[in-house]
Amino acid sequence: EDKVVQSPLSLVVHEGDTVTLNCSYEVTNFRSLLWYKQEKKAPTFLFMLTSSGIEKKSGRLSSILDKKELFSILNITATQTGDSAVYLCAVHTGNQFYFGTGTSLTVIP
Amino acid sequence: NAGVTQTPKFQVLKTGQSMTLQCAQDMNHEYMSWYRQDPGMGLRLIHYSVGAGITDQGEVPNGYNVSRSTTEDFPLRLLSAAPSQTSVYFCASSQDRGVPEAFFGQGTRLTVV
């Protein structure tokens, strides 16, 4: 059975802290791994990763994929209150997407 | 620049009623999909479509029907609503199955009483 597992389930940090969110997966026919940020409503796309070891970066956010160990991490440095959200990891297998349950991040001023 | 539009935003149904959740996209995307999001369960794929006239089942298709008569529209039908279908429903689209970056609609919060 294909599955995606995210950890931790929730996290509370202070502004300025650095956080690491984890996503592990077991799927057949892996094509890519995607990270989304979900605030109050619709998830918004952050990164897509297809190759191991190549870091994707956007401002204070970065992500990397390890296809041998079947996981990805999402790092957020110098966190801000606007980073508070649920972060979703999804694996694309060609026709289907499998989502993890998400990590709820709360950044306290 | 509408993107993916879902209607309605909120709906309350009685058990046994049927309804259709609407989804439309204006980006000429081939791939469209429906998810439900429940607490502690993440997003689960209900049905998807890789193009007009083609649909297929996802992880949790029971109790739902879809059709794709045009590229733009992908309605989700609840045949006979049950309390277990209380959830938040998201429609998403992406360029095609090979380009998985998905754009999501704003969601429909459905309550079945």
Side-chain angles (χ1 to χ4, degrees), chain A residues 40-105:
Chain A
K40 291 184 180 173
K41 293 207 173 175
T44 53
F45 174 78
L46 294 174
F47 296 112
M48 183 177 77
L49 303 154
T50 55
S51 301
S52 281
I54 298 174
E55 185 183 54
K56 290 280 183 95
K57 199 167 170 66
S58 176
R60 296 175 294 101
L61 278 66
S62 63
S63 184
I64 198 160
L65 174 67
D66 186 328
K67 289 168 74 175
K68 183 179 176 186
E69 300 298 329
L70 308 182
F71 77 91
S72 174
I73 60 172
L74 175 68
N75 280 321
I76 308 174
T77 59
T79 51
Q80 302 171 357
T81 55
D83 295 326
S84 295
V86 174
Y87 290 84
L88 299 168
C89 170
V91 173
H92 179 231
T93 62
N95 281 338
Q96 299 206 23
F97 292 83
Y98 293 92
F99 279 82
T101 55
T103 293
S104 175
L105 174 66

Side-chain angles (χ1 to χ4, degrees), chain B residues 44-79:
Chain B
R44 292 182 292 168
L45 182 65
I46 304 171
H47 285 285
Y48 65 94
S49 169
V50 298
I54 307 169
T55 64
D56 207 344
Q57 296 180 351
E59 282 182 85
V60 289
N62 292 340
Y64 307 95
N65 273 355
V66 292
S67 59
R68 185 94 179 271
S69 55
T70 67
T71 299
E72 294 77 20
D73 299 300
F74 190 45
L76 177 73
R77 295 184 192 85
L78 279 71
L79 308 171

Side-chain angles (χ1 to χ4, degrees), chain A residues 1-2 31-32 34 36 38 40-45 48 86 88 92 94-102, chain B residues 9-10 31 35 37 40-43 45 48 50 57-59 90 94 97-102 104-106:
Chain A
E1 182 182 337
D2 296 328
R31 296 286 185 92
S32 59
L34 299 95
Y36 289 86
Q38 186 175 24
K40 291 184 180 173
K41 293 207 173 175
T44 53
F45 174 78
M48 183 177 77
V86 174
L88 299 168
H92 179 231
N95 281 338
Q96 299 206 23
F97 292 83
Y98 293 92
F99 279 82
T101 55
Chain B
K9 289 188 171 55
F10 302 94
Y31 185 96
Y35 295 87
Q37 188 172 35
M41 300 290 288
L43 282 156
L45 182 65
Y48 65 94
V50 298
Q57 296 180 351
E59 282 182 85
F90 287 99
S94 52
R97 73 178 99 180
V99 182
E101 175 189 342
F104 284 81
Q106 292 300 301

